[in-house]
Amino acid sequence: MEIPLLSENDVLAKLKENQAMRETDERGHSVFDTAMVVHGQMYQLEQHLDRLLTSADKTQIDWKKSGLSKEKFRQAVFAVARATKHENQGLRFWLGAGPGGFGISPKECPRASFYCVATELKRMPEDKYTHGIKVVTSTIAMKPSHFANAKTTNYLPNVMLVMEAEAQASWQGVWVDENGNVAELGTANIGFILEKGSQTLSVPSFRRTLAGISVKRIMYIAEHHLGMKVEQRDISLSEAKQASEAFAFGGPYLTLPIVLWDSDIIGDGKVGPVARTLYEAQLRDWKDAWGDDGHLEPLRK
């Protein structure tokens, strides 16, 4: 099965036929992932495709029966990115159970479906990095581990988490599990410097969260290029709020310093030195990947 490159008019025609909606969204039986092009280079596409296929397997989307493959997905993403002619762009791709009627069983789907869309690469305003962000503890129920560990299109809890936070003049909410341990934000992982002057980056376990590509990369950079120590473990809400520094990591956000959590000030309420170090390390990663293989590919050869 070949994956066609569609023009805007082609997409509109399919939407009129209701095919695109039926293939991915009618029963929510689909997964998605994202990637970026920065400075004319594809950034960490392989890692995002691997997670896409892991999510598809977790949700029993039988994409292999359709003659699809990771390499075909990769070629399709590159084709879309090249067609835009932009040096910086966001990419989002969906893998669904496929077209069918409006029933709930995927048995009526003859083949899996794959879509990729290029979007503007939206960066956070610079003042978020110089002044920090506010978050709140969310009251929205967390997803069970099986669904939290897969990147599905069921983002209703995430949407409600963000709405709840915005109603309190905050960027996003933070989920805390039933044992009182910090989990993640709606679209970002979280990390900490728990003690003042420490060089240990502490990140909650991925047991109840999505294993973020961005946070895994910054953990690697911190340990292998910045000389920091890295740990993953349970971190209670009270311990998190007493941290010297706290950060949100995710996609184009880079390292977002958290300076206020509910009504509690994190550290001294200012952006700390580690936040700036990690931010600058990620900016470099977008340019040369610190010399590491497998993270950057030229968009055009």
Side-chain angles (χ1 to χ4, degrees):
M1 174 184 173
E2 296 302 319
I3 302 173
L5 180 63
L6 302 179
S7 68
E8 183 177 359
N9 287 337
D10 293 333
V11 173
L12 290 173
K14 283 185 173 291
L15 286 172
K16 288 179 180 179
E17 296 169 6
N18 206 28
Q19 182 177 345
M21 183 67 73
R22 287 169 58 198
E23 289 197 357
T24 58
D25 294 332
E26 64 163 291
R27 63 182 66 80
H29 195 186
S30 57
V31 296
F32 80 103
D33 222 297
T34 61
M36 297 185 298
V37 173
V38 286
H39 309 300
Q41 300 184 93
M42 187 73 75
Y43 181 67
Q44 291 203 301
L45 177 59
E46 293 299 309
Q47 292 84 348
H48 284 278
L49 286 176
D50 286 341
R51 187 172 65 180
L52 177 80
L53 299 183
T54 297
S55 296
D57 291 341
K58 282 179 178 289
T59 53
Q60 299 181 47
I61 295 173
D62 192 0
W63 53 276
K64 294 178 183 178
K65 74 176 183 180
S66 303
L68 296 170
S69 66
K70 178 182 174 182
E71 180 57 27
K72 287 185 177 180
F73 296 147
R74 182 181 180 280
Q75 292 172 3
V77 174
F78 261 93
V80 170
R82 287 169 178 153
T84 69
K85 298 181 172 60
H86 287 289
E87 295 296 294
N88 297 284
Q89 55 184 291
L91 295 156
R92 184 164 299 211
F93 32 92
W94 295 263
L95 179 56
F102 287 95
I104 197 169
S105 173
K107 288 182 178 179
E108 64 185 20
C109 303
R111 56 176 173 78
S113 58
F114 180 81
Y115 289 92
C116 176
V117 175
T119 65
E120 177 185 359
L121 183 61
K122 295 183 178 180
R123 296 277 302 277
M124 293 291 288
E126 187 61 29
D127 69 292
K128 301 298 184 185
Y129 300 106
T130 56
H131 294 90
I133 60 171
K134 177 188 176 183
V135 299
V136 294
T137 305
S138 181
T139 64
I140 305 301
M142 288 181 65
K143 300 173 187 176
S145 295
H146 181 80
F147 296 106
N149 295 157
K151 197 171 180 71
T152 73
T153 53
N154 178 14
Y155 258 46
L156 180 58
N158 309 64
V159 170
M160 295 182 69
L161 174 145
V162 171
M163 291 173 64
E164 179 184 48
E166 290 177 341
Q168 300 174 64
S170 299
W171 182 61
Q172 286 197 18
V174 181
W175 270 310
V176 177
D177 70 19
E178 60 276 5
N179 296 315
N181 295 314
V182 173
E184 62 182 345
L185 291 89
T187 58
N189 291 98
I190 193 167
F192 305 92
I193 299 296
L194 293 173
E195 297 181 7
K196 188 175 180 62
S198 171
Q199 286 294 299
T200 299
L201 175 60
S202 301
V203 176
S205 162
F206 294 144
R207 186 174 59 254
R208 289 293 305 276
T209 71
L210 187 69
I213 304 296
S214 297
V215 72
K216 288 196 295 184
R217 179 60 181 159
I218 198 61
M219 289 165 66
Y220 182 91
I221 292 171
E223 182 174 7
H224 295 275
H225 296 298
L226 302 179
M228 298 176 65
K229 294 182 179 179
V230 174
E231 65 173 4
Q232 273 196 285
R233 63 174 177 84
D234 290 338
I235 300 171
S236 70
L237 178 60
S238 60
E239 185 180 17
K241 286 188 172 185
Q242 293 170 24
S244 175
E245 295 187 52
F247 329 98
F249 306 108
Y253 301 143
L254 296 169
T255 298
L256 275 172
I258 298 169
V259 297
L260 188 63
W261 191 329
D262 296 326
S263 59
D264 298 302
I265 295 173
I266 302 299
D268 60 5
K270 299 178 181 179
V271 176
V274 177
R276 195 67 195 178
T277 297
L278 296 179
Y279 170 80
E280 292 174 351
Q282 286 179 290
L283 285 178
R284 173 176 171 178
D285 199 46
W286 283 6
K287 292 181 179 179
D288 66 9
W290 289 82
D292 298 333
D293 293 332
H295 298 280
L296 289 171
E297 296 179 79
L299 187 58
R300 295 173 179 83
K301 296 182 179 179

